[in-house]
Amino acid sequence: MSDIAPGWYKDPADPATQRWWDGEGWLGAPLPADVTPPDGPPPPEPAAAPAATGVDGTPPARDGGPQGWPADRTGTPPQHHAGHPRTAPPGWPQGTPPPPPGWPHGAPPPGWQPGGPPPGWQPGAPPPGWPQGGPPPGWQPGYPPPGWPPAPVLPHGMPLAGYGARFVARLIDLGLLTVLVLIANSWFLVQFVQELQVYLPQAVEYVAATERGENPAMPTASDRFSYLQLAMLVVTAMVWFAYEVPQIANTGQTLGKRLMGIKTIGLQDGATPGFGRAFRRWNLYGTATLFWSCCGIGLLWQLLDGLSPLFDRHTQRAWHDRVAQTVVVQLPRNVTGTPVPARPSADPESRTDTTGGDR
């Protein structure tokens, strides 16, 4: 121990300052030499906090942010507190759940919903196909970026019937309808052929005379010919109505649909359509049969209606399905491959869905 009594003395290393000598060494921080020091020794200095490390051994960011926050990141990092462990960072849409741990971007991934990230997303990495560095230009929160695959739509938990299954089912129904229409129109067909045998020779003679340079009068069909043509179209529409509407109303399936394992259901409730919806569904394209003789307008309308599901990427419904608020779905199959009925769920717009169109 030194002979010098404890007290405040000029620091030999820096005469412009003074420090406390405890008899063995200098203590505390130096004070300017012209400042009146406190009575007694200086208060003890707080111990230096040890360098903290994260659970993975990485040190915290130098800017004081949470563990793992990049030291070169500008701006204020997300705040963490007991009542709300993760709050939304700048740019995160209001009212949207905070980002998952490790999400590197300033906006949520498309489809971000309360309760978890998109299917297949791993913490610390963007979802599949998400470009590095942030969302593409023009992307708006709540909408998928260009090229982002849409979520499938399953009406009432059942997948949409495929285009191939609907097409084959329609062919089966048309084949059976053709047989039924020919039987129902058999008497009208006989009378129509007889009228045609009178009209055709006149038409052939008219064409020959025109080719010879003559100016013959154009032959006209008899009124009976026109009446028979209209009667056959009416009978055809009636047979089609009697074949399709009761089956769709009661079971949602014609013979073709039943063989292909597909079914028409209500879009909102998932139930069988009933007579009202079945009639509206058939009426949009079935009554066009009466206009087949008007330059084929009715047939063209039915063709466009049949192709309309191809232009509905989301629900794949035909025009007549939109009018009736119905959709065609694929029924589940048992182990033998036979379609079995399934009770639909109560959510027609389930996002785990691949909505049904029409054939």
Side-chain angles (χ1 to χ4, degrees), residues 174-191 231-232 235-236 238-240 243:
L174 288 179
L176 182 57
L177 272 172
T178 300
V179 175
L180 297 176
V181 166
L182 288 176
I183 295 174
N185 276 320
S186 57
W187 184 85
F188 294 104
L189 281 172
V190 172
Q191 302 301 315
M232 286 190 296
V235 170
T236 299
M238 292 174 62
V239 171
W240 191 353
Y243 171 80

Side-chain angles (χ1 to χ4, degrees), residues 163-230:
Y163 292 117
R166 296 199 297 269
F167 179 72
V168 174
R170 179 62 71 188
L171 288 181
I172 295 172
D173 289 334
L174 288 179
L176 182 57
L177 272 172
T178 300
V179 175
L180 297 176
V181 166
L182 288 176
I183 295 174
N185 276 320
S186 57
W187 184 85
F188 294 104
L189 281 172
V190 172
Q191 302 301 315
F192 185 79
V193 171
Q194 291 177 356
E195 290 294 326
L196 199 61
Q197 290 176 348
V198 175
Y199 175 75
L200 281 180
Q202 298 176 5
V204 172
E205 178 59 28
Y206 171 79
V207 173
T210 302
E211 292 177 349
R212 293 194 299 266
E214 300 176 4
N215 190 20
M218 180 179 295
T220 57
S222 64
D223 292 340
R224 191 167 184 267
F225 183 89
S226 301
Y227 292 150
L228 288 171
Q229 188 178 41
L230 179 60

Side-chain angles (χ1 to χ4, degrees), residues 2-303:
S2 171
D3 294 334
I4 302 175
W8 290 93
Y9 300 96
K10 288 186 177 180
D11 188 347
D14 185 3
T17 62
Q18 56 181 328
R19 298 184 70 182
W20 174 266
W21 175 264
D22 66 351
E24 295 183 354
W26 301 100
L27 295 179
L31 298 176
D34 55 354
V35 173
T36 302
D39 295 334
E45 295 181 357
T53 59
V55 294
D56 56 355
T58 59
R62 277 176 267 170
D63 63 356
Q67 190 272 329
W69 187 260
D72 58 348
R73 177 73 66 86
T74 59
T76 304
Q79 301 299 316
H80 298 253
H81 52 81
H84 196 283
R86 291 192 62 84
T87 57
W92 196 270
Q94 294 297 325
T96 307
W103 176 249
H105 306 297
W112 177 257
Q113 298 294 333
W121 182 79
Q122 298 296 326
W130 187 264
Q132 294 295 330
W139 177 77
Q140 297 296 326
Y143 295 89
W148 191 267
V153 182
L154 302 172
H156 306 282
M158 290 182 286
L160 295 176
Y163 292 117
R166 296 199 297 269
F167 179 72
V168 174
R170 179 62 71 188
L171 288 181
I172 295 172
D173 289 334
L174 288 179
L176 182 57
L177 272 172
T178 300
V179 175
L180 297 176
V181 166
L182 288 176
I183 295 174
N185 276 320
S186 57
W187 184 85
F188 294 104
L189 281 172
V190 172
Q191 302 301 315
F192 185 79
V193 171
Q194 291 177 356
E195 290 294 326
L196 199 61
Q197 290 176 348
V198 175
Y199 175 75
L200 281 180
Q202 298 176 5
V204 172
E205 178 59 28
Y206 171 79
V207 173
T210 302
E211 292 177 349
R212 293 194 299 266
E214 300 176 4
N215 190 20
M218 180 179 295
T220 57
S222 64
D223 292 340
R224 191 167 184 267
F225 183 89
S226 301
Y227 292 150
L228 288 171
Q229 188 178 41
L230 179 60
M232 286 190 296
L233 294 178
V234 171
V235 170
T236 299
M238 292 174 62
V239 171
W240 191 353
F241 174 89
Y243 171 80
E244 182 162 324
V245 172
Q247 293 188 81
I248 294 296
N250 294 325
T251 65
Q253 293 178 294
T254 58
L255 177 62
K257 284 184 170 67
R258 187 172 292 106
L259 293 177
M260 297 307 299
I262 60 179
K263 180 180 181 179
T264 301
I265 62 174
L267 181 63
Q268 299 299 327
D269 54 15
T272 52
F275 182 82
R277 280 187 292 194
F279 175 75
R280 291 196 303 272
R281 186 176 186 272
W282 173 88
N283 185 61
L284 186 68
Y285 64 101
T287 54
T289 305
L290 303 176
F291 300 93
W292 283 358
S293 59
C294 299
C295 303
I297 293 177
L299 190 60
L300 177 61
W301 172 264
Q302 291 170 340
L303 177 62

